[in-house]
Amino acid sequence: MSALNIKQGSTSHSAYNLRASYTETSERHTLAVIVVNAPGVLARVIGLFAGRGYNIESLTVAEIDHAGHRSRITIVTSGTPQVIEQIKAQLGRIVAVHEVHDLTVEGRAVERELGLFKVEGTGEQRIESLRLAEIFRARVVDSTLNSFIYEMTGTPDKLDAFAELMRPLGLSNIARTGVAALLRGPGAASK
Amino acid sequence: MAREMTGAQMVVQALKDQGVDVVFGYPGGAVLPIYDEIFQQNDIRHILVRHEQAAVHMAEGYARSTGKVGVVIVTSGPGATNAVTGLTDALMDSIPVLVLSGQVPTFMIGSDGFQEADTVGITRPCTKENWLVRDTDQLAPTIHEAFHVATTGRPGPVLIDIPKDVQFATGLYQEREAHRSSYSRPTAPDPDAIEALVDLIEQAERPVFYTGGGIINSGPEASAALRDLVQATNFPVTSSLLGLGAYPASDRHWLGMLGMHGLYEANMAMHDCDLMINIGARFDDRITGRIDAFSPGSRKVHVDIDPSSINKVIHVDIGIIADAGLALKAIMAAWTRRGRRTKAEAVVAWWRQIDEWRAVNCLAYRQSTTTIKPQYALQRLEALTKDRDRYITTEVGQHQMWAAQFLHFEEPNRLMTSGGLGTMGYGFPSSIGVQIAHPDALVINIAGEASFLMNMQELGTVSQFHLPVKQFILNNERLGMVRQWQELLHGSRYSQSWSEALPDFVMLAETFGLKGIRCSDPAELDDAIMEMLDHPGGVVFDCLVERHENCFPMIPSGKPHNEMLLGDASTEGAIKADGAVMV
Ligand SMILES: Cc1cc2nc3c(=O)[nH]c(=O)nc-3n(C[C@H](O)[C@H](O)[C@H](O)COP(=O)(O)OP(=O)(O)OC[C@H]3O[C@@H](n4cnc5c(N)ncnc54)[C@H](O)[C@@H]3O)c2cc1C
Ligand SMILES: Cc1ncc(C[n+]2csc(CCOP(=O)(O)OP(=O)(O)O)c2C)c(N)n1
């Protein structure tokens, strides 16, 4: 039977028990959605999340195959297992969607995000921010006498932690790209 | 060999190549080039509507009664926005419809031009897919793709927005045969899942088939396969509103419709069964009632072509992603290969239980000799029309539910009704679309007076095209279904549910050159119905019925199936406030 038929936790045989065996706790999943690169497709994907009340924690999109007109949308979402199943099935219904991959269940994925952090300050604070940036392997990509812009790539958690530390040191602006993710190891190109 | 032609010519050519012989539409500035081409040919008939919403409902009726795609042409701006209700209706009920809308020229898009609207933006959530064509060369491939998408997998409405300059410009026409689509969806069932289902069929003691619109979408072969399987297994069968006709109502295995206003025996069988086999139905909330009390003791199998329908509302034990017809045949083949075993004795005992429920006679109502009861009107209509080549459409409300209860459908594609969206104003135009598709058939729209008013401008269309379509209005001078809920849930405070200032429907028909008939006496009803049937042209039948009749059985929102209300006496205090928040 295909993976879609075998539901997580569907171990017993009545609606009551099946419901109970689905956990009600929210999980975070990273989805890779391969779509036709055409106008309106991103709007349809976003509209689906808005219209059906699903969460989007982060969303990135870019063309990955110019000749084949394909784009990859990486969506980080959260919901109960049942909601996550619905999100994947609903994405799969969209005519312009070629593939939907749940990187959280299909294997271990590398997740990376790029962030730009503007930190303003002088004196001791400025030096302290520079020292911390070094520990986080953030690069200085712009500097003036009273500001830096740091560039950092890492997991979303790492970017969060960096921002938290920079806040008291004069963090004034953040720009983040959202998550890009790929499954580890060899495998289908689209994953 | 590509032919050069204008975009407008391509539209007409592509429609012809797709086998379209009729379109429903309304002209305007942004589609004039297409209308000019329509004028210059005779292969495609154009039905001029009176409102674009009605055009889409006509296309739905046409599509549902033929299995073909219904095609609509509207102008930009208000023409397109008027189509939105019809598109949403078609999306909810999985009806293949193609709307072609005009758009301002490409160089004006985004400038708030005259009659410009973001049509693809507005219709994105209410179409299966839509396209804005900016290049005449892309027009023919897009139209061919639209037909493919509308009919592949779970059917649905699609829209193509065509700027006026694209209609004027010339380009190369791509033939239908040359079109390659990348859109496909699996339709064959997983053999392992079928075997697992056959295991359950062999073990079941209290089985029931719960069927739906998916069988009708799948085509007549699926209905035939269902008949074979039901009769061979001796299992009972019930259906949603949208699946009526897939199984013949005259057969003894038929339990009647299930759900909120479904039959007692159907709902009790669903509640107490130990095996539920859902084929092409989507566990709509009109069916399930309170989710956590829905059929608590059963194993559930769900066959559906759309993976998102499976486990959306009810968790099932086996989900089979497949076309209903292919799945039914595969079940029959596997079950036959394994020796066609069932627990026959247990099933016979189950039938005895079902017969007890049937004996409750849940559709009983208090007859009257002075006023026409709506149920009686439909019983008489059924008796006088059942042997004819008959198609029924309905509006939305009590009359719709009574039609589902009291009219019997022997074949698929014979009932056209707005189920998912519940669109008042659907039935009249839909009946026109059906009549266009089946010119010699008897087409009757069962209407409430309030619903009828929502698209009554189409009397002009009936008149213009000499359509013999019959409007059978159960006139209770109330927004009956709303009034019933107010009586049961809101202390009989009838807020805004009176149909005030009604027209004289007989005179209304006559001003459009149609026949009007009024009847208010049960003793005269048969003659009046015969007069309607014998009249060769369009008829508006104003049937004045009991004003405050309630539609039973009824499962109040938020209640389980075994807590049905069967008649007025059982309603006292039965509906609790927590159910009142549900629609
Ligand atoms: C006032 C009112 C009262 C109502 N009361 C009731 C009621 O009492 N009882 C009732 O039943 N309904 C009632 N309805 C209708 C109800 O709202 C739903 O529209 C209806 O129950 C849905 O029918 P369905 O489950 O067959 O689904 P449909 O909407 O017909 O969906 C069909 C399902 O089949 C699938 N499918 C499509 N094509 C195929 C294929 N080829 N093969 C396999 N699967 C396919 C689709 O993916 C979908 O899941 C009422 C509506 C109104 C307006
Ligand atoms: C367009 C639209 N508006 C409102 C409703 C809500 N509604 C459902 S049934 C109903 C009353 C229908 O009255 P009528 O057509 O006279 O039929 P009856 O219930 O009296 O048989 C209303 C207002 C609806 N379904 N559709």
Side-chain angles (χ1 to χ4, degrees), chain B residues 243-265:
Chain B
L244 294 180
Y247 196 83
S250 57
D251 185 79
R252 67 183 179 86
H253 293 95
W254 173 243
L255 301 183
M257 181 177 81
L258 82 165
M260 180 175 271
H261 291 291
L263 271 68
Y264 182 70
E265 47 270 42

Side-chain angles (χ1 to χ4, degrees), chain A residues 1-2 4-5 7 12-16 18-19 22 40 43-44 82 86 89-90 92-97, chain B residues 124 127-130 149 154 183 185 190 192 292-293 296 298-300 306 308 311-312 315-317 319 321:
Chain A
M1 286 178 28
S2 85
L4 266 170
N5 295 336
K7 295 296 160 200
S12 87
H13 298 292
S14 82
Y16 275 129
L18 283 179
R19 281 182 69 79
Y22 256 120
R44 212 170 252 283
Q82 192 194 5
Q86 258 301 300
Q90 292 291 350
R93 275 177 97 184
I94 296 176
V95 174
V97 167
Chain B
R124 195 170 285 124
T127 51
K128 183 174 172 186
E129 181 63 297
N130 62 6
V149 168
R154 181 176 183 169
Y183 178 68
R185 289 293 182 263
D190 174 345
D192 291 348
D292 61 1
S298 63
R299 297 181 181 209
K300 299 178 184 68
D306 179 351
S308 79
N311 289 337
K312 178 169 68 179
H315 295 159
V316 295
D317 300 272
I321 297 159

